[in-house]
Amino acid sequence: MTTRHLRQPTVDCADPRELAEFYRRLLRWEWAPGHEEPDPEGDEYLLIVDPERPVRIGFQRSDAVVPPWRAGAIVHLDLEVTDLVVGHEEAVRLGARPLTGTPEEEGHPEDPFRVYADPSGHPFCLCLDR
């Protein structure tokens, strides 16, 4: 057996361009080379990349239904922010929907994070970088 390394998470979604653009703007990342312009035949798979680190996220066209949050096992992204209030405002402005209240409202002020649904309904968390 050879050593395995994580290449990237890939998010299944109905509209890869739309969802990749949401996360690209939220994270302030860039399009991977060759993924900047829409494909006239439809974007089936797209990548965004962190301009400062070797990290990337893929987005793949799929007709799969996103299960409601907490209804079953699902993978989600944890995204670090330096200010949870500012992160919340930006995420909502870009199209995220809050699924929880503030850390204080949710009873975890010692471990501040909030849960959101992205425009396709996938859950993700904004976590305060401490």
Side-chain angles (χ1 to χ4, degrees), residues 1 10 20 30 36 44 49 51 58 62 66 74 82 85 99 101 111 127:
M1 175 182 265
T10 296
E30 299 172 353
E36 303 91 339
E44 295 299 317
V49 297
S62 170
V66 178
I74 188 167
T82 56
V85 172
L99 297 176
D111 186 20
C127 307

Side-chain angles (χ1 to χ4, degrees), residues 39-103:
D39 182 344
E41 295 182 25
D43 294 306
E44 295 299 317
Y45 188 84
L46 294 167
L47 282 172
I48 60 172
V49 297
D50 186 328
E52 299 173 6
R53 298 180 189 101
V55 179
R56 60 195 194 173
I57 302 172
F59 299 87
Q60 178 173 287
R61 185 173 310 283
S62 170
D63 293 329
V65 176
V66 178
W69 183 57
R70 292 190 177 174
I74 188 167
V75 175
H76 70 272
L77 302 175
D78 285 341
L79 310 175
E80 284 186 345
V81 295
T82 56
D83 185 313
L84 200 54
V85 172
V86 172
H88 167 81
E89 291 169 355
E90 186 167 7
V92 170
R93 180 179 60 77
L94 292 172
R97 182 173 45 88
L99 297 176
T100 64
T102 67

